[in-house]
Structure formats: structure tokens, C-alpha cells
Amino acid sequence: MTDSVLRTVVRRETHSPRTGAMLLVVVLLILAAVYAAVEIVLALTGRQPLLVAPAAAVEALAALPMTVAPAGLIAAGAVIALVGLVVFAVGVSPGRLSRHEMAWGDRAVVVDNGVVASALAQHVSTASGIARENVVVGVAHRAVDVTVRPPVGVPVEAERLRQIVEDEVASYRLSPSVRTRIRVDRPRDAGREDPR
């Protein structure tokens, strides 16, 4: 498998398509077109419009600059432009899946964040001697959060724990890289974050 093919496969496995957002926009455009077509057909057959007749809508649109204050038109234009920018940004920016690329020799594998969290928690438990159920690890796109809850009376060296976590995360060679945050929650000071 060539490098370009491998990069393409990794990108597809770590990024989500914007199919949902595109489908929503297409459905809204179709509904608007169907509504306009129904109003035109009703006007051509001489029936009452659902909301507004096409001729009345065109007249109201033409008279809009005379009937609405310039500030209102500017505000409406700004809102429409903002909605357009949001739709454009959603369409262009890639979605993220809860996965990372991990270097494995000269190859790359895609691993789920849950697998990384489980492996890291097991390693921290084994290396520190703290029971596995007292180690909680969360992995996000750019961060790893490790919380250790040692039993009462069990001493924990925060610096040694930090070194264990950082060495293990570095050995995974994750892309994109992540920063680590380590907390030691003891019964008397639960919730206090270990300073970095």
C-alpha cells in the first residue's frame, strides 16, 4: 500500500463526513422549492395562497427598501450573511471521529480513543500499584485526562505519576498529539487538580 493511499485511509477513518449537514441543507432547499411551486400553481389556478401569493411577495420585496429602515435591512443582511458563513464553515471543515492515528513502526494504525484510554489506565495501574478501578482516563481529540483515586493511606508521588503517564502517551506516538492532565483525588481533597 502506498503512502498516499495509507494517508487517505487514515483520514477517512479519523474524520467524519458532513453528510448530515449537507442532507439538512438539501432538504430545506427542496422544501422551499416545493412551497414556491405550490404557491405558483395556486396563483395560476386562481385559488387562495397558502401563505402569500407570488405577485404579492414580489411587490412586498420591491417595496422593502421604502418600508423598512436601513438599519433593519443591514441587520437582516448581517444575519443572513452569518447564517451563510456558518453553513459554509460546517461544509468545509472536517468532522472528527473519536479516533487517533498511532505510529506503529513505519506503519500507522487507527485506534479508538476508548482503546487508548483503557490501555493507558491499565499501564498507570500496573506501574503505580494503584488498583485499576481507581484509575480513570478520558481521551479527547487534543487532551488526555487521568484521574487517580488512591485509597486512604496510600501515598502517591504526583511527579512520578505524571512521568508514567507522559512516557506512556509519548510511546503511543498519537497524531494529532495530545496534552496530558493528571489529577490525584484523595478523600480529603477530592476534586483538587494536580498543578502543572
Side-chain angles (χ1 to χ4, degrees), residues 6 10 100-104 107-111:
L6 183 60
V10 168
H100 276 83
E101 176 186 348
M102 178 188 287
W104 191 265
R107 294 286 185 183
V109 292
V110 175
V111 291

Side-chain angles (χ1 to χ4, degrees), residues 68-156:
V68 178
L73 290 175
I74 291 171
V79 168
I80 291 170
L82 185 62
V83 169
L85 283 174
V86 168
V87 169
F88 178 76
V90 167
V92 171
S93 64
R96 299 279 183 189
L97 295 174
S98 59
R99 298 176 185 158
H100 276 83
E101 176 186 348
M102 178 188 287
W104 191 265
D106 60 344
R107 294 286 185 183
V109 292
V110 175
V111 291
D112 189 79
N113 288 354
V115 173
V116 174
S118 181
L120 184 57
Q122 185 60 50
H123 178 77
V124 169
S125 172
T126 303
S128 66
I130 297 170
R132 170 64 180 85
E133 61 268 14
N134 293 332
V135 179
V136 179
V137 178
V139 178
H141 181 63
R142 292 277 187 184
V144 173
D145 185 22
V146 179
T147 303
V148 177
R149 297 184 179 104
V152 177
V154 174
V156 174

